[in-house]
Amino acid sequence: MQIGTIKLENPVILAPMAGVTDLPFRLLAKEMGCGLVYSEMVSDKGLLYENSQTLHMLKIDERERPVAMQIFGSDPESMAKAAAIVEKSGADIIDINMGCPTPKIIKNGSGSALMCQPDLAYRIMASVVAAVSVPVTVKIRKGWSEGSVNAVEMGQLAEKAGIAAIAVHGRTREQFYTGEADWSIIKQVKESVGIPVIGNGDIRAPYDAVKMMTETGCDAIMIGRGAQGNPWIFKQVTHYMSTGEILPLPLMSERVAVLLRHLDMLIEYKGEHVGIREMRSHGAWYTKGLPHSAELRLKLNQAESKEDFIAVLEQFQ
């Protein structure tokens, strides 16, 4: 699998997720065998205004390469300037967000709102491609609604604009993350373009990944929510792809070890105050489905320090 000049070790990719795929999470995914990691989305305006928090999101660790940095915005000129800043930060790939469904992104004409404006979307993609020398990718959805499915058109415009690969989430903006992802639209996009197509949506287990690639012909698969609290899914998927064997689920001791390592990385990266609070959400994902998980989540949400996290986890082992 290759995206422009960037060769991937395998076709298993971490999806960009706001509030999730920061540097610590990307490192864990990479250690588990992920072929390419995507950052959470970064505001073009935040970069142009040199917002310190936004600039901090561009930090890259050499151990996570190759890494793609995702930007969002609705103005071709601003997006081009932001892309140049991201390239200087050391990103291997720059991604354009045209799939985020959240209202605060939509109201500014960004994210999946661009699915409703193909001409503007094309100008943004072409401007970003012209502004940088690294490969540029784009992430889209099936369409805005079932009445306006235009992923094939967007894929063709992306190829025309010089985009190196396109990721397709098989849901419309109207669906958000409900219902089932339509993998047939991924197949349609793949059959309509000559650039690599990355399939995204409803990959929660190794066999889902192989099934998607078989059914759609996509070049790679992208895992989003299936990786929340479950970074070892990348090891499971790559192992299954190469051997046909399903690795056993991680034991409680392994879950706890990874959770605590993740906590240490968050504290180092963002400080204890922020790191502890962000780890509460991750903690709920790591422990989902375990015995007494509801009580465990409640106590983790009350944790104020690393010591609190350790004490709570020791009660449930």
Side-chain angles (χ1 to χ4, degrees):
M1 171 65 179
Q2 189 153 326
I3 297 177
T5 56
I6 306 300
K7 186 172 178 58
L8 310 186
E9 290 186 6
N10 60 64
V12 184
I13 298 172
L14 169 65
M17 291 181 283
V20 179
T21 56
D22 54 17
L23 177 58
F25 192 87
R26 298 196 306 267
L27 279 172
L28 285 174
K30 189 66 179 180
E31 289 174 8
M32 294 288 183
C34 184
L36 173 64
V37 294
Y38 274 69
S39 74
E40 51 189 330
M41 59 184 181
V42 180
S43 164
D44 64 337
K45 295 296 192 294
L47 291 173
L48 297 183
Y49 295 149
E50 299 183 343
N51 176 275
S52 59
Q53 187 174 353
T54 305
L55 292 173
H56 185 63
M57 294 169 72
L58 298 183
K59 184 176 180 182
I60 293 171
D61 189 300
E62 290 300 314
R63 293 171 294 174
E64 64 175 313
R65 293 192 185 279
V67 57
M69 287 283 170
Q70 186 185 72
I71 57 176
F72 73 93
S74 57
D75 176 70
E77 184 178 352
S78 294
M79 287 288 280
K81 290 179 179 177
I85 294 171
V86 174
E87 180 180 29
K88 288 181 181 177
S89 76
D92 298 298
I93 294 170
I94 294 171
D95 184 69
I96 302 171
N97 183 318
M98 294 190 182
C100 180
T102 59
K104 70 177 183 179
I105 300 299
I106 296 299
K107 72 177 183 180
N108 294 320
S110 306
S112 54
L114 290 167
M115 299 292 294
C116 300
Q117 301 188 69
D119 291 342
L120 175 58
Y122 173 77
R123 288 190 283 119
I124 288 173
M125 290 187 286
S127 295
V128 170
V129 169
V132 298
S133 59
V134 297
V136 179
T137 60
V138 63
K139 190 169 189 290
I140 66 169
R141 284 188 166 235
K142 178 180 177 180
W144 180 261
S145 66
E146 287 300 326
S148 59
V149 173
N150 63 341
V152 169
E153 176 191 3
M154 293 290 282
Q156 293 171 340
L157 288 174
E159 183 172 27
K160 180 181 176 183
I163 294 295
I166 181 167
V168 183
H169 184 153
R171 287 183 174 85
T172 64
R173 188 271 169 175
E174 262 189 2
Q175 283 182 276
F176 270 70
Y177 300 102
T178 63
E180 293 184 358
D182 177 10
W183 289 1
S184 70
I185 193 66
I186 300 170
K187 184 174 191 273
Q188 292 174 44
V189 174
K190 173 60 185 173
E191 292 173 346
S192 70
V193 300
I195 57 177
V197 172
I198 304 163
N200 177 223
D202 292 351
I203 297 178
R204 303 183 181 93
Y207 40 83
D208 293 330
V210 173
K211 184 180 179 184
M212 176 185 277
M213 294 190 79
T214 301
E215 290 186 3
T216 69
C218 65
D219 302 278
I221 57 96
M222 179 176 273
I223 303 174
R225 289 174 297 156
Q228 291 178 346
N230 185 25
W232 39 81
I233 192 173
F234 299 104
K235 181 188 296 184
Q236 293 168 334
V237 169
T238 54
H239 184 80
Y240 183 69
M241 283 181 167
S242 61
T243 68
E245 299 173 351
I246 298 287
L247 291 174
L249 294 175
L251 300 173
M252 179 62 174
S253 58
E254 183 179 354
R255 287 176 185 256
V256 171
V258 174
L259 188 159
L260 290 177
R261 176 138 185 276
H262 192 171
L263 175 60
D264 283 338
M265 294 164 73
L266 270 175
I267 291 174
E268 180 181 357
Y269 182 54
K270 299 182 178 181
E272 183 164 17
H273 180 77
V274 175
I276 290 294
R277 278 147 187 80
E278 290 195 2
M279 197 63 206
R280 291 171 179 170
S281 294
H282 289 287
W285 293 326
Y286 274 111
T287 56
K288 184 178 180 180
L290 295 177
H292 312 293
S293 59
E295 182 183 358
L296 175 55
R297 286 195 299 273
L298 177 63
K299 292 190 175 183
L300 288 178
N301 282 333
Q302 297 170 343
E304 297 287 343
S305 66
K306 177 181 175 180
E307 289 69 27
D308 289 344
F309 261 87
I310 294 173
V312 171
L313 292 169
E314 285 179 344
Q315 293 178 31
F316 290 84
Q317 288 192 73

